[in-house]
Amino acid sequence: MANLADKIELYLKDMLGRTADGFVVLQRGTLAHIFSCAPSQINYVLTTRFTVDRGYLVESRRGGGGYVRIVRLGLETEGNFRHIMSELIGEEVAPERCRQIIARLEEEEVLTKRECALILGIMAENTLAAFTAHPRRLRAALLKEVLTTVCRDDLNPDD
Amino acid sequence: MANLADKIELYLKDMLGRTADGFVVLQRGTLAHIFSCAPSQINYVLTTRFTVDRGYLVESRRGGGGYVRIVRLGLETEGNFRHIMSELIGEEVAPERCRQIIARLEEEEVLTKRECALILGIMAENTLAAFTAHPRRLRAALLKEVLTTVCRDDLNPDD
DNA sequence: TTTCGTTTGACCAAGTCTGACTTTGTGACC
DNA sequence: GGTCACAAAGTCAGACTTGGTCAAACGAAA
């Protein structure tokens, strides 16, 4: 259990644990230097340990002033949404079921009324069906994105 | 946020925020001198950060007494707003343009930060491209859907 | 031995910054 | 008015600075 990837994972999770912002920003090169490894090793850690399934989101930017940003997806909501999430993977969501899910999220005050309206507008059958033969699958994929975003700790200041 | 371009962008937006005129006038050389950089760096900032998609217009004049003028294109109330935006969106929207348009809507306080995150998540190239050969067209269609929702009177209690 | 997760290095993509060269406007001098 | 020097700003190729990808080597466990 003493391999590099695990150490880097621990290091990053420790950082995430210490901050109240719900995210950390770092430089790939710098981190690689700290652990005396190839920069691509950092990518390996990120893609294997900091996935959406495991409750993390990674954003980055190249070029001068580039960075890697790791966002924590709320654990408290995990119980509720992990279930729905897994249901959505590789599945289809009919318009009616979509409305139900969104309505429930509004009832639970996870989404505001306006956010629900925005999402439902986007999920409309007409629009999606005009672009794909599998609108229900696309809807499932989009819904997954929505749930992921909703869990982002950097957007929900816990005050 | 450690790069020059971002700092200059912030500086200019701060200036724009302080004035009531909706525009600022400055000299490229002077600004370059303030930031101790090449004058062409200013052009870089202007072309990458002050685009029409983001709601800015840049005019300039060469020669003695030359200047650069940055105008902020406000989103006039309701009526025009929708027209302007749908004009801007057009038939196709590339990922980068989408980000710029959404960023503008956030700056103009038409959308909240969270709403932007939700929309950007949905508009991600990966997701859309997995379902259609024309992700840019789908993105444009979805963006227009968002516009429609945003304009709904019943969602914006006039306070 | 096979397998599968780890680690690396070569090559790629994207964003930033500069410097040399070009274009355009102004004013002075003829 | 024409010409010339000067004073801006514009353009663009290329260097530089990051991060991303991928295939192949490595290594420990089954």
Side-chain angles (χ1 to χ4, degrees):
Chain A
M1 186 51 97
N3 66 52
L4 231 191
D6 288 336
K7 282 181 197 160
I8 297 174
E9 175 186 7
L10 239 55
Y11 178 88
L12 292 176
K13 288 191 173 167
D14 182 58
M15 277 183 77
L16 276 163
R18 291 178 190 283
T19 181
D21 303 329
F23 70 92
V24 293
V25 179
L26 51 98
Q27 292 208 302
R28 188 182 76 151
T30 306
L31 190 56
H33 191 257
I34 290 174
F35 285 91
S36 306
C37 64
S40 55
Q41 174 71 4
I42 306 304
N43 294 82
Y44 176 70
V45 175
L46 292 176
T47 54
T48 56
R49 321 302 216 247
F50 293 85
T51 63
V52 172
D53 284 342
R54 295 190 181 213
Y56 299 91
L57 210 78
V58 177
E59 296 170 336
S60 66
R61 199 171 151 186
R62 304 183 191 188
Y67 61 85
V68 173
R69 188 163 177 266
I70 307 175
V71 181
R72 198 193 317 125
L73 299 179
L75 294 179
E76 69 283 354
T77 48
E78 190 168 329
N80 275 337
F81 300 135
R82 183 66 70 84
H83 180 62
I84 303 178
M85 284 276 275
S86 64
E87 246 182 44
L88 291 174
I89 297 174
E91 276 222 3
E92 307 192 343
V93 175
E96 185 48 33
R97 178 140 169 273
C98 181
R99 276 189 285 275
Q100 287 173 2
I101 293 174
I102 297 297
R104 174 147 168 255
L105 293 179
E106 186 185 348
E107 273 170 25
E108 294 189 4
E109 297 186 339
V110 171
L111 292 173
T112 68
K113 189 176 178 182
R114 219 171 91 113
E115 286 164 350
C116 288
L118 280 167
I119 295 165
L120 285 176
I122 285 172
M123 302 283 185
E125 184 73 5
N126 285 343
T127 317
L128 303 190
F131 287 87
T132 171
H134 308 290
R136 293 171 185 217
R137 291 192 188 177
L138 174 53
R139 192 176 289 108
L142 296 181
L143 214 42
K144 226 179 108 180
E145 286 297 336
V146 167
L147 291 178
T148 300
T149 304
V150 157
C151 290
R152 286 175 62 149
D153 275 1
D154 62 332
L155 297 176
N156 304 299
D158 48 332
D159 33 22
Chain B
M1 202 46 111
N3 62 40
L4 230 193
D6 287 339
K7 283 181 197 158
I8 297 174
E9 174 187 5
L10 239 55
Y11 179 87
L12 293 175
K13 287 190 173 169
D14 183 61
M15 278 184 77
L16 277 162
R18 290 179 190 283
T19 181
D21 306 329
F23 70 86
V24 292
V25 179
L26 52 97
Q27 292 209 302
R28 188 182 76 151
T30 307
L31 189 56
H33 191 258
I34 290 174
F35 284 91
S36 306
C37 65
S40 55
Q41 174 70 6
I42 306 304
N43 294 82
Y44 176 71
V45 174
L46 292 175
T47 54
T48 56
R49 319 291 214 262
F50 292 86
T51 64
V52 173
D53 285 336
R54 290 195 184 199
Y56 298 93
L57 208 72
V58 177
E59 297 167 338
S60 66
R61 230 182 124 168
R62 307 184 190 190
Y67 62 86
V68 174
R69 186 164 176 261
I70 307 175
V71 184
R72 170 143 204 187
L73 303 174
L75 292 172
E76 285 114 79
T77 40
E78 307 313 305
N80 290 336
F81 164 70
R82 188 161 179 188
H83 184 254
I84 292 174
M85 286 305 295
S86 81
E87 194 85 350
L88 198 58
I89 291 170
E91 294 297 308
E92 301 192 351
V93 175
E96 181 51 31
R97 247 167 52 72
C98 182
R99 263 174 249 127
Q100 300 210 350
I101 291 171
I102 297 297
R104 177 182 185 184
L105 293 178
E106 186 186 346
E107 264 182 27
E108 298 283 351
E109 296 185 345
V110 170
L111 293 172
T112 67
K113 190 174 178 183
R114 223 172 86 112
E115 285 165 348
C116 288
L118 280 167
I119 294 167
L120 286 177
I122 285 172
M123 304 284 184
E125 183 74 3
N126 284 344
T127 317
L128 303 188
F131 287 88
T132 171
H134 308 290
R136 293 171 184 218
R137 292 193 183 179
L138 174 53
R139 190 176 291 110
L142 296 180
L143 220 38
K144 284 178 178 172
E145 206 62 58
V146 167
L147 249 194
T148 303
T149 307
V150 160
C151 290
R152 278 174 56 171
D153 283 339
D154 61 329
L155 296 174
N156 303 298
D158 43 347
D159 36 2

